[in-house]
Amino acid sequence: MKRYKALAVTIKTADEIEKMRVAGKLAAQVLDMIGEHVVKGATTEQLNQLCHNYIVDVQGGIPAPLNYGRPPFPKSICTSVNHVICHGIPSDKKLKDGDIVNIDVTVIKDGYHGDTSKMFVVGKPSILAERLIRITQECLYKGIEIVKPGARLGDIGHVIQTHAHKHNYSVVQEYCGHGIGATFHEDPQIVHYGQPNTGDEIVAGMCFTIEPMINAGKRYSKILPDQWTVVTKDRSLSAQWEHTLLVTETGVEILTHRDDETIPRIINHS
Ligand code: MF3
Ligand code: CO
Ligand code: CO
């Protein structure tokens, strides 16, 4: 028997879109704030504290990761260092020269979520690490650039996969982007691999993240005994960048856009 998957994609109202813009902007501002603190000798727990206090005290928001899931995630941000793919738990371990760190921030404001992550480097990164970080950001941007009503979800995965493979990198398959709104993770799933002209159609008013995880080695991952930290099986370096997007009538708006980016905040294809 054929199985039909019920897709519960929510289309945002004008009112919800305004709240998503606010939440997205706040999440982006946390990444702007934390950059100068990502230095040799700092601990990821110190970064967690700074982000937590900023979100709660300055922004009047809620850090969505804190107590999220099962077992409850114990911190307010994810910090994923070197071969950690995602969901790294802030700890008292000190950052050292050459480390690469993904900081993933999700802010809830007025009931709506903004979810974004960025790569930081401690001191001077290796040429290889720098290249992985750059190509991974290009993967995110290429995914964003094809988002518009009528395009299909497989198109996003396809451009990301093609760019990663061209540079001999692999794409993590077990974790993906997601719809987002009043719920942190909602339909649809946005996988970062796939074939053009497949998958569900993209519709104006959808909000979702694209957040490719790209490995310098093989794609395989495993979860550490803490039940959260995801690492590369072969211990190769991994990078990730994430934005929360709104599909507009003519293209896409990057709700978590920062001023330090080369991609515009609004892409209009008409
Ligand atoms: N921010 C992550 C994402 O992009 C999810 C983190 S869940 C947590 O979807 F519990 F680990 F924080
Ligand atoms: Co996300
Ligand atoms: Co995230």
Side-chain angles (χ1 to χ4, degrees):
M1 192 169 96
K2 200 171 159 110
R3 287 179 49 189
Y4 293 89
K5 182 169 179 281
L7 258 189
V9 174
T10 67
I11 300 303
K12 269 68 182 173
T13 64
D15 201 57
E16 292 181 292
I17 288 169
E18 203 40 53
K19 290 178 180 176
M20 289 297 291
R21 282 198 183 100
V22 172
K25 182 87 209 157
L26 293 177
Q29 285 170 342
V30 177
L31 292 179
D32 286 337
M33 178 279 295
I34 202 64
E36 66 179 289
H37 301 282
V38 186
V39 293
K40 178 177 155 182
T43 69
T44 48
E45 171 56 23
Q46 289 167 343
L47 303 178
N48 174 67
Q49 275 303 326
L50 287 164
C51 291
H52 177 95
N53 293 343
Y54 192 79
I55 292 167
V56 172
D57 300 335
V58 178
Q59 299 184 328
I62 299 166
L66 188 59
N67 292 318
Y68 180 81
R70 189 158 279 272
F73 191 79
K75 300 289 174 178
S76 296
I77 59 169
C78 297
T79 52
S80 301
V81 180
N82 296 336
H83 69 291
V84 178
I85 295 172
C86 64
H87 303 168
I89 302 174
S91 78
D92 291 328
K93 194 168 163 192
K94 288 188 165 84
L95 293 171
K96 58 183 195 308
D97 210 32
D99 280 347
I100 66 169
V101 191
N102 174 275
I103 298 184
D104 192 338
V105 169
T106 311
V107 175
I108 308 172
K109 180 75 176 181
D110 213 355
Y112 286 80
H113 292 71
D115 185 10
T116 185
S117 82
K118 169 179 175 172
M119 294 301 299
F120 296 89
V121 298
V122 181
K124 205 178 153 44
S126 68
I127 300 286
L128 264 69
E130 208 158 47
R131 180 168 165 274
L132 174 67
I133 289 170
R134 176 172 53 83
I135 302 298
T136 303
Q137 188 179 38
E138 289 171 5
C139 285
L140 170 61
Y141 286 175
K142 283 177 184 289
I144 292 171
E145 278 161 7
I146 62 110
V147 172
K148 62 174 182 184
R152 297 173 70 173
L153 293 181
D155 301 337
I156 298 174
H158 182 70
V159 295
I160 291 171
Q161 167 184 296
T162 300
H163 193 58
H165 289 175
K166 178 175 149 196
H167 295 276
N168 278 314
Y169 294 143
S170 65
V171 179
V172 174
Q173 297 192 354
E174 293 85 359
Y175 303 89
C176 56
H178 48 92
I180 183 167
T183 314
F184 192 169
H185 296 109
E186 57 187 49
D187 281 336
Q189 288 196 46
I190 311 294
V191 301
H192 303 113
Y193 58 91
Q195 296 311 316
N197 258 299
T198 66
D200 291 296
E201 191 181 322
I202 295 171
V203 176
M206 286 171 74
C207 287
F208 56 81
T209 72
I210 302 179
E211 47 183 298
M213 286 144 275
I214 305 296
N215 298 346
K218 296 203 165 71
R219 71 173 177 85
Y220 303 101
S221 66
K222 63 176 189 189
I223 301 176
L224 296 188
D226 65 29
Q227 296 183 63
W228 275 107
T229 310
V230 181
V231 299
T232 55
K233 238 182 192 168
D234 61 9
R235 295 188 62 88
S236 63
L237 280 185
S238 186
Q240 179 179 31
W241 296 78
E242 174 176 27
H243 272 312
T244 297
L245 310 173
L246 164 70
V247 182
T248 64
E249 297 292 339
T250 53
V252 61
E253 180 176 331
I254 304 175
L255 300 176
T256 47
H257 187 269
R258 302 178 311 277
D259 288 343
D260 67 349
E261 298 191 79
T262 53
I263 194 169
R265 196 178 70 83
I266 294 173
I267 301 175
N268 183 340
H269 289 284
S270 66

